[in-house]
Amino acid sequence: MNQESKEFIDCDVLVIGGGPAGSTVAAVLAERGRHVILIDKDRHPRFHIGESLLPMNLPIFERLGVLDKVRELGVHKPGAEFGFTADPNDRQTFSFAKAKGDSPLAAFQVRRSDFDMMLMENAAEKGATVLHETRATEIDPVVDDKRVVYAKGPEGEALTYRASYVIDASGRDTFMARKRGWKKKNPQHNTAAIFGHFDNADLLPGDGAGNIGIYWFKHGWVWMIPLVDGTMSAGAVCFPEYLKTRKGSPDEFLWETLNSCAPAERRLRNATLKSRTYAAGNYSYFSRQAREDRCLLVGDAYAFLDPVFSSGVYLAMAGGERIGQITDTLLDQPQLEKQLMREHERYMLRGMKIMGWFIYRFMSPQLRALFMKPRNVWQIEEAIISVLAGDVFGQTPIRGQLMAFKTVYYIHLVMQLPGALRAWLRRKRNWRVSVEASD
């Protein structure tokens, strides 16, 4: 079969991508009796970063019927620790149990290779046809209320799918956004990451052993995430100009970076790197469109913010569940596509805007000061913990508390503006010196 062949493989919905978003869409639609084909360019299990989940993921897991499986795969995560000095007493832990509203009291840390494979297998168990090592290559315009997608199979064979709807859940590959020129760097945020897996890293003490550690340092911030077999996922999200100063091997640069963050250096003193060193650039982006006729974008194929508050998997699965429900409706009432997708896009953007406000300011001294010395006046701390738990879609009324927090932040910003400007100029100057020295 070649790309011009008319030997179509027909289905109701073709899902491109087998990550959390795609597997969620496929499971929702298959459970409702729709003929779903999910194609993925690789084969699970495969390495993927983003191991820390949020409490608001748990109701989705329960609706998908996989909550017990997640418990088996995961490390119990009751909260998050923040810090920026070597002093272990100079830390702030936010417990999800203190969140305002009814969000679950904890979440999990998971090895993404196992977690993603479990979600894909769940979609297959519910009736979706799952095809590995099958890469979408082109997509035709709508003809006779159908979309035609060309793909290459495991042996390089040409495949042609015809579907009433195509769901682009291709993740950072951004299949449609690249094809249509919709993908844009986020002008408010531009970061890159370097990371790996470690043995023998120190856990946090007591009941907080499963917490994620998030630590500021001069080049960005560091994460430390404990996994089930004693592995520690550790990495740094940095200003891109810092990564350009790399000398030596990627492993050496990862160690150099983590050791320049005092809390991470303390916890990794006896650790060994057990994986290769990974890097990812252009971390934050979005697509100018969320749909084209009978083709809907979801998860990282639409937008990705930043991993600082572990929102990626939750936003992908929350969007995936909604897109699955919307597509089920559209298969019977396609005339509602524009209306339902406008409503969906507003819904997702509202949640991303709330999370994004904190992400875009995470490196500011003002936000760090407020996080390290929280006050629960008017239940502001509880509202912030609700955001950290993923409660960003209006489930809990926290708008007033968030507005109060932002007001306090901007007051601090105005008072400290001269110092912040000097710090920014100093960082830019240090970067130029580093680049010149490396040339």
Side-chain angles (χ1 to χ4, degrees):
M1 185 186 296
N2 56 47
Q3 192 159 302
E4 289 73 35
S5 171
K6 297 302 180 183
E7 298 177 34
F8 297 116
I9 303 170
D10 288 296
C11 59
D12 292 329
V13 181
L14 178 72
V15 180
I16 301 172
S23 293
T24 299
V25 173
V28 169
L29 286 165
E31 194 166 41
R32 298 183 180 208
R34 303 299 187 175
H35 179 199
V36 183
I37 298 177
L38 185 158
I39 62 173
D40 189 89
K41 67 174 185 177
D42 291 322
R43 179 173 292 277
H44 288 298
R46 61 179 182 237
F47 180 86
H48 201 293
I49 204 65
E51 299 102 336
S52 195
L53 306 178
L54 299 184
M56 291 303 291
N57 271 113
L58 271 61
I60 300 176
F61 296 150
E62 193 163 17
R63 291 190 290 271
L64 291 176
V66 298
L67 182 54
D68 288 340
K69 294 179 180 179
V70 175
R71 285 197 180 98
E72 293 174 5
L73 295 174
V75 169
H76 183 72
K77 172 191 170 183
E81 177 183 89
F82 293 83
F84 66 100
T85 73
D87 184 355
N89 296 315
D90 188 18
R91 301 282 194 276
Q92 185 59 240
T93 298
F94 292 96
S95 170
F96 294 131
K98 292 179 65 177
K100 185 177 172 64
D102 299 321
S103 62
L105 304 182
F108 297 96
Q109 323 275 21
V110 295
R111 187 183 295 275
R112 280 291 301 276
S113 55
D114 297 333
F115 175 77
D116 290 3
M117 183 169 68
M118 178 273 294
L119 289 179
M120 182 180 274
E121 290 173 345
N122 182 62
E125 290 167 5
K126 292 183 181 300
T129 299
V130 174
L131 302 174
H132 299 272
E133 298 177 342
T134 303
R135 178 187 292 271
T137 57
E138 297 291 341
I139 183 168
D140 278 350
V142 174
V143 176
D144 296 329
D145 295 331
K146 300 287 184 180
R147 275 283 195 177
V148 171
V149 175
Y150 304 104
K152 293 290 184 181
E155 305 300 324
E157 68 275 23
L159 304 169
T160 306
Y161 296 96
R162 183 169 58 186
S164 297
Y165 275 89
V166 174
I167 309 300
D168 180 4
S170 58
R172 291 177 61 82
D173 279 359
T174 56
F175 174 69
M176 280 296 293
R178 282 189 301 104
K179 291 290 182 185
R180 299 295 187 258
W182 299 339
K183 185 175 180 180
K184 300 293 181 182
K185 290 183 180 180
N186 191 326
Q188 300 186 69
H189 197 65
N190 184 22
T191 53
I194 182 169
F195 48 90
H197 282 175
F198 295 79
D199 277 333
N200 300 317
D202 289 348
L203 296 174
L204 295 172
D207 294 338
N211 284 349
I212 183 174
I214 300 174
Y215 307 120
W216 290 274
F217 75 128
K218 62 183 178 179
H219 301 302
W221 62 273
V222 165
W223 78 78
M224 297 188 71
I225 301 171
L227 303 176
V228 285
D229 61 355
T231 297
M232 182 72 71
S233 170
V237 174
C238 306
F239 304 116
E241 55 265 29
Y242 166 70
L243 296 183
K244 295 176 183 178
T245 68
R246 179 173 74 87
K247 297 178 180 179
S249 70
D251 289 0
E252 291 171 337
F253 189 64
L254 175 60
W255 275 113
E256 177 186 340
T257 302
L258 294 174
N259 285 334
S260 67
C261 174
E265 187 275 336
R266 185 183 181 93
R267 294 182 60 188
L268 292 170
R269 285 178 181 175
N270 301 314
T272 56
L273 181 64
K274 64 182 292 187
S275 73
R276 54 166 283 203
T277 294
Y278 297 87
N282 299 325
Y283 231 90
S284 187
Y285 61 85
F286 66 96
S287 172
R288 289 188 290 104
Q289 292 185 209
R291 58 166 290 277
E292 190 178 75
D293 289 348
R294 293 184 176 267
C295 182
L296 314 178
L297 280 60
V298 66
D300 292 358
Y302 172 55
F304 184 77
L305 291 173
D306 186 280
V308 62
F309 297 124
S310 308
S311 62
V313 172
Y314 171 61
L315 291 175
M317 295 188 69
E321 186 177 35
R322 282 179 59 86
I323 286 290
Q325 296 163 352
I326 288 169
T327 306
D328 183 58
T329 299
L330 295 180
L331 287 166
D332 298 323
Q333 303 176 72
Q335 72 277 9
L336 298 178
E337 181 179 323
K338 290 184 179 180
Q339 173 192 335
L340 294 183
M341 282 304 295
R342 277 197 300 266
E343 293 172 357
H344 171 72
E345 192 169 4
R346 284 196 296 267
Y347 178 88
M348 294 303 299
L349 288 174
R350 182 168 63 247
M352 288 191 289
K353 182 178 179 180
I354 291 174
M355 191 70 74
W357 189 92
F358 291 90
I359 288 171
Y360 303 151
R361 293 160 179 82
F362 185 66
M363 286 303 298
S364 72
Q366 295 77 27
L367 191 70
R368 184 177 70 193
L370 293 175
F371 263 59
M372 294 304 294
K373 296 181 179 180
R375 296 181 180 180
N376 202 27
V377 180
W378 304 313
Q379 296 184 306
I380 289 179
E381 182 183 358
E382 294 174 19
I384 300 304
I385 295 175
S386 293
V387 172
L388 298 180
D391 194 348
V392 294
F393 292 115
Q395 295 94 325
T396 303
I398 57 176
R399 183 177 179 181
Q401 286 86 355
L402 294 183
M403 288 296 294
F405 180 86
K406 292 178 182 180
T407 299
V408 173
Y409 168 85
Y410 287 122
I411 291 172
H412 277 244
L413 181 63
V414 170
M415 293 173 62
Q416 300 174 23
L417 191 57
L421 180 59
R422 287 194 298 271
W424 179 81
L425 291 171
R426 185 166 56 250
R427 180 170 70 84
K428 300 298 286 186
R429 184 170 59 251
N430 290 341
W431 167 65
R432 285 196 298 270
V433 170
S434 298
V435 170
E436 291 169 0
S438 63
D439 289 341

